[in-house]
Amino acid sequence: MRSGKLTVVGAGPGDVDLITLKGIKALQNADVVLFDALVDQQLLEYAPQAEQIFVGKRKGCYRYQQEQINELIVQRANMGLHVVRLKGGDPFVFGRGAEEMEYAAQYGHEVAVVPGISSSVSVPASQNIPVTKRGASESFWVITGTTKEHKLSNDVALAAKSSATVVILMGMSKLGEIMKLFKKEDKQDVPVAIIQNGTTSQERVGIGTVATIEDTVREQKLANPAIIVIGEVVQHRQQILDIQKAYQEKGKELFEKV
């Protein structure tokens, strides 16, 4: 019997076109696909021959506990099957892909990873927000809003002291706590963007400042899954819109003069 294999694949931020070619090839060669809640199920069409198992987790709702997912991977790999673990974004950015690889490797199975386009960078980009920009931000933090103890990460307080762009994943339930830390650093006027369902057809965005973003979220009824972007780079989005509008108006004026 052939030996089993685990390939952890990043599906990208949501748009099905943003998975890598290598990720698609892994799906085409899979015997089993274990996929998460944030993965667009259109991607499963690349693995019609595979057993497809939903193991997604939402806040407060678990189809499988992580320990059960680990056991499921090893159980199928012990049968000599190629298991593809399909995860949203990049599996090494708060995706627990490293843990699953370690677990499978302990049982002697070959393991591999196919990196994915991380939502931490691509979702802001989908709204014309760069995470770095010359003259505005020289670096960026990517932080989980909720630790395994369901508390706000201590790194948020450290990030609030810096001039870097701060991208927070899984932080909507603690938005008030996060903004309080930035207000403590006298950053009430720093721009903030909330992007829900980034890169998908359901994408929605709310723009404000540290002082106003909670009101924006309430007014627009923004919720998870969403990414929080804090920093001067958020202004780039409006700058692009203003440039495009000015160009269009200029073109209209020229057309009317002809």
Side-chain angles (χ1 to χ4, degrees), residues 8-197:
V8 180
V9 176
D15 183 341
V16 293
D17 291 338
L18 292 177
I19 191 172
T20 64
L21 288 173
K22 192 167 186 177
I24 290 172
K25 290 176 182 178
L27 286 170
Q28 291 171 336
N29 290 315
D31 297 307
V32 185
V33 178
L34 309 182
F35 63 98
D36 280 348
L38 294 180
V39 170
D40 191 312
Q41 294 189 28
Q42 287 186 62
L43 293 175
L44 299 178
E45 295 175 8
Y46 290 112
Q49 78 294 338
E51 178 186 12
Q52 299 172 358
I53 306 173
F54 173 68
V55 294
K57 299 188 285 290
R58 289 288 196 185
K59 185 179 179 182
C61 183
Y62 292 77
R63 183 70 176 269
Y64 287 86
Q65 296 289 338
Q66 186 60 50
E67 294 76 12
Q68 293 174 302
I69 295 172
N70 292 345
E71 291 295 338
L72 198 54
I73 290 169
V74 169
Q75 181 191 60
R76 294 301 194 273
N78 284 344
M79 297 166 64
L81 302 178
H82 178 200
V83 181
V84 167
R85 182 70 173 94
L86 189 61
K87 293 174 169 286
D90 181 277
F92 280 6
V93 181
F94 307 125
R96 304 191 74 170
E99 298 173 38
E100 292 169 353
M101 291 175 70
E102 288 174 356
Y103 192 85
Q106 289 173 3
Y107 287 83
H109 296 299
E110 181 184 349
V111 295
V113 61
V114 178
I117 298 175
S118 175
S119 59
S120 62
V121 174
S122 59
V123 167
S126 73
Q127 284 293 329
N128 292 323
I129 298 172
V131 291
T132 63
K133 184 182 179 183
R134 189 168 59 174
S137 176
E138 299 174 354
S139 60
F140 63 98
W141 293 64
V142 180
I143 309 172
T144 177
T146 307
T147 67
K148 64 180 180 179
E149 291 83 17
H150 305 291
K151 296 180 180 179
L152 183 65
S153 170
N154 292 330
D155 285 348
V156 177
L158 296 175
K161 296 178 183 295
S162 77
S163 60
T165 303
V166 181
V167 180
I168 301 176
L169 312 182
M170 301 171 286
M172 286 296 284
S173 65
K174 292 182 169 51
L175 183 62
E177 292 180 56
I178 293 166
M179 293 304 112
K180 186 176 181 180
L181 290 171
F182 278 81
K183 290 173 185 176
K184 187 178 178 181
E185 301 299 329
D186 197 27
K187 293 186 175 181
Q188 290 87 344
D189 297 329
V190 171
V192 180
I194 305 287
I195 308 167
Q196 179 180 329
N197 292 313

